[in-house]
Amino acid sequence: MNALTRLQPMRDTLQTLLLHQKLTDETQIFVQALRMGDFAHAIGMMTEVWSEMSPEFYQSMVESELPAFAKSTATFVGLIMDDGQEAVVDAFLYFSNDKWAACDLNFILQEETWKVSRLGLKEIDWSIEPFSSTTKTLSSRNESLELDN
């Protein structure tokens, strides 16, 4: 066995670690853009299907369907699974009322850039109040925004 053959697993592991750090950073930046109300920046980080809509329309969709993203105060990125072209990032959103929510973001590699293709919110069984002036609660165990081509 030559030296290059022995180094290949180490090289693959390092590439995976770098990719997962990149996806962690992209997730943090994306959720921070939603949190700060910078919906134009968030759309810019998404696939073409999403980026064709106006920031105002996207904002109203996020606020009505997934308000927890914009109302969170911190994000912790957990498990990342990828196949080199697509990735799923599991993360946790934290809130000022000591609650948390599990979420996931799907990424697709487009022209050597990772783009968000889907947002998902899981395991929210508590009211989004006092964060919103509406009485809406999220009682579903799984809500997501997804657009088909």
Side-chain angles (χ1 to χ4, degrees), residues 31-49:
V31 175
Q32 183 67 22
L34 294 178
R35 198 177 289 133
M36 304 273 302
D38 190 352
F39 293 96
H41 185 83
I43 289 174
M45 295 182 71
M46 299 187 81
T47 58
E48 286 182 26
V49 173

Side-chain angles (χ1 to χ4, degrees), residues 1 4 8 10 12 19-20 23 25-26 35 50 62-63 81-82 86 93 99 101 106 116 120 127 129-130 132 135 145:
M1 182 183 280
L4 288 177
Q8 187 62 37
M10 184 182 302
D12 292 345
L19 173 58
H20 288 196
L23 291 169
D25 294 346
E26 293 293 315
R35 198 177 289 133
W50 289 97
V62 170
E63 288 175 349
M81 297 171 285
D82 77 276
E86 296 183 43
L93 303 175
K99 300 276 188 183
N106 290 30
V116 177
S127 173
E129 295 296 336
S132 171
T135 58
L145 288 176

Side-chain angles (χ1 to χ4, degrees), residues 80-136:
I80 299 173
M81 297 171 285
D82 77 276
D83 67 4
Q85 297 297 311
E86 296 183 43
V88 177
V89 177
D90 288 332
F92 297 93
L93 303 175
Y94 292 91
F95 302 88
S96 60
N97 65 353
D98 296 327
K99 300 276 188 183
W100 60 271
C103 68
D104 61 85
L105 291 86
N106 290 30
F107 286 85
I108 295 176
L109 187 60
Q110 290 184 336
E111 300 174 10
E112 305 207 18
T113 302
W114 287 95
K115 298 284 192 171
V116 177
S117 62
R118 181 186 162 281
L119 301 173
L121 190 58
K122 301 177 184 175
E123 298 182 20
I124 299 259
D125 56 3
W126 47 273
S127 173
I128 200 70
E129 295 296 336
F131 304 115
S132 171
S133 60
T134 67
T135 58
K136 178 175 178 159

